[in-house]
Amino acid sequence: MSIAPDLALLNGKIYTLDSRNTVVTAVAVKGNRILALGDDATIRRLCSTTTRQIDLGGQTLLPGFIESHGHFTWLGEVRTQIDLSGAASIAAAAEQVEMKAQRAAAGEWIYGHSWDQSLWGGVFPDSQPLTAAAPHNPVVLARRDGHSWWINQAAMDVAGINRDTPDPD
């Protein structure tokens, strides 16, 4: 049985995602397993005349991601947003929005998540605290279950929501 790889991917930027964040230029594959990682010369020495070699042309190669239902892109996006999971009051949540607005350019959207009106005596907030906290920025904050949004006047203006907008069915 040959130990030569079936496939060699060469001349790439290959992120191994190991604990050292190793990046290599080549990978050798045998069957459905990685046989070796390294530089192009090292991997070429492992190849036989039957090894399929692919030049990646400097492109990036990442390990496969298996994701059953974790909303993978959302997990990254949420890390850039205001986390309101510990906000004990409407005022505390609005204060976090105000701090974000002080660092944001006028018109830049501000996003947040995980507010919970049950921590606020069950009272659902209106737009006023967010409008005061970020008058020049549209603000959209998702409730902890993702089924309700809390927005400010600037966000309503962008969406065309006003006193004449009919309530949805």
Side-chain angles (χ1 to χ4, degrees), residues 74-82 100 113:
W74 175 82
L75 292 173
E77 289 172 1
V78 78
R79 296 184 56 85
T80 66
Q81 300 177 359
I82 301 168
K100 183 85 168 190
H113 62 89

Side-chain angles (χ1 to χ4, degrees), residues 1 4 25 32 38 41 50 56 60-61 70 77 80 87-88 91 107 130 138 143 167:
M1 179 170 146
T25 61
N32 62 359
T50 61
L56 296 175
T60 298
L61 179 70
E77 289 172 1
T80 66
L130 297 183
R143 189 180 177 277
D167 285 340

Side-chain angles (χ1 to χ4, degrees), residues 118-130:
S118 66
L119 299 175
W120 310 336
V123 175
F124 277 88
D126 63 25
S127 64
Q128 299 306 317
L130 297 183

Side-chain angles (χ1 to χ4, degrees), residues 42-55:
T42 300
I43 299 304
R44 278 195 176 100
R45 282 194 294 275
L46 299 174
C47 296
S48 71
T49 57
T50 61
T51 301
R52 181 175 175 215
Q53 296 185 35
I54 298 175
D55 184 337

